[in-house]
Amino acid sequence: MASAPRPRRLPYLLVGVLLVLGCAAGGVVVATRVGHQEPVLVLARSVTVGQVLSKKDLREESLSDGSGLAFIPVSSRAQVEGRPVAYSLPAGTPLTKKLLGKAHIPSAGQAVAAVGLKAGQFPPGVQPGNRVTVVVTPTAGGDATGSTSSSSQSSAWDASVTDVRSDSTDQTTVISLQMAQEDARQLAAAPTGQISVVMVHGGGQ
């Protein structure tokens, strides 16, 4: 009697080959993504404007090199230690060259105003060095400073963020803004609930 023909295993071999190729492609993607990370210097704790950085103030963290910001690499740690910071900065801030150097304090004609904001009144990623526009929307029958007026137009001023701090409950974030002295006075008189901070083009560090 003739023996029955042996079943063909070609489909199984083909599936195996495709699985191997798929795994190899996945490995290439993972390797590529890992390759886009670089070790940079990050603040290990909060620092105040003018503070000289020490070894304890710095830690290493791998961040994407496609963010557009010139982060300081770990290899430059020796050049960073012993240098002052130009702003008050929170822990976890990746360092850039613009954050180091001479303290940025108000010059003649400038002032710093602090505003306490809640979620939704400012971009979550706002940080020292950002350029922003501060918008104050008046209530019905009042102007941006709270005084009675027939004007219903909003007020807006350009400013630079010098500090960002959250309270212990994370309900309010205090943002310090450097701006023209007269603008700062008007902003200080505005009701907090009517203030919003908007990031503008070129507002990075």
Side-chain angles (χ1 to χ4, degrees), residues 24-108:
V28 170
V29 171
V30 172
T32 302
R33 289 183 177 178
V34 171
H36 287 168
Q37 301 283 318
E38 62 175 340
V40 300
L41 291 175
V42 174
L43 287 177
R45 53 188 179 183
S46 299
V47 296
T48 57
V49 58
Q51 179 177 331
V52 175
L53 294 174
S54 67
K55 183 178 181 179
K56 294 181 179 180
D57 296 320
L58 306 173
R59 64 179 174 84
E60 301 177 12
E61 186 172 320
S62 293
L63 297 178
S64 171
D65 59 5
S67 63
L69 298 178
F71 296 135
I72 298 178
V74 171
S75 59
S76 298
R77 175 187 283 267
Q79 287 74 43
V80 173
E81 293 179 8
R83 294 195 62 187
V85 289
Y87 305 91
S88 292
L89 303 169
T93 301
L95 291 178
T96 65
K97 291 182 178 180
K98 292 185 178 181
L99 296 180
L100 304 178
K102 184 179 178 180
H104 282 211
I105 57 178
S107 56

Side-chain angles (χ1 to χ4, degrees), residues 14-27:
L14 181 59
V15 171
V17 170
L18 292 177
L19 285 174
V20 171
L21 292 176
C23 292

Side-chain angles (χ1 to χ4, degrees), residues 138-144 148-154:
T139 57
D143 62 16
T148 303
S149 171
S150 58
S151 175
S152 60
Q153 294 183 349
S154 299

Side-chain angles (χ1 to χ4, degrees), residues 106-131:
S107 56
Q110 295 282 302
V112 174
V115 292
L117 305 177
K118 297 186 181 297
Q121 292 182 283
F122 65 96
V126 68
Q127 57 185 309
N130 289 153
R131 290 288 299 171

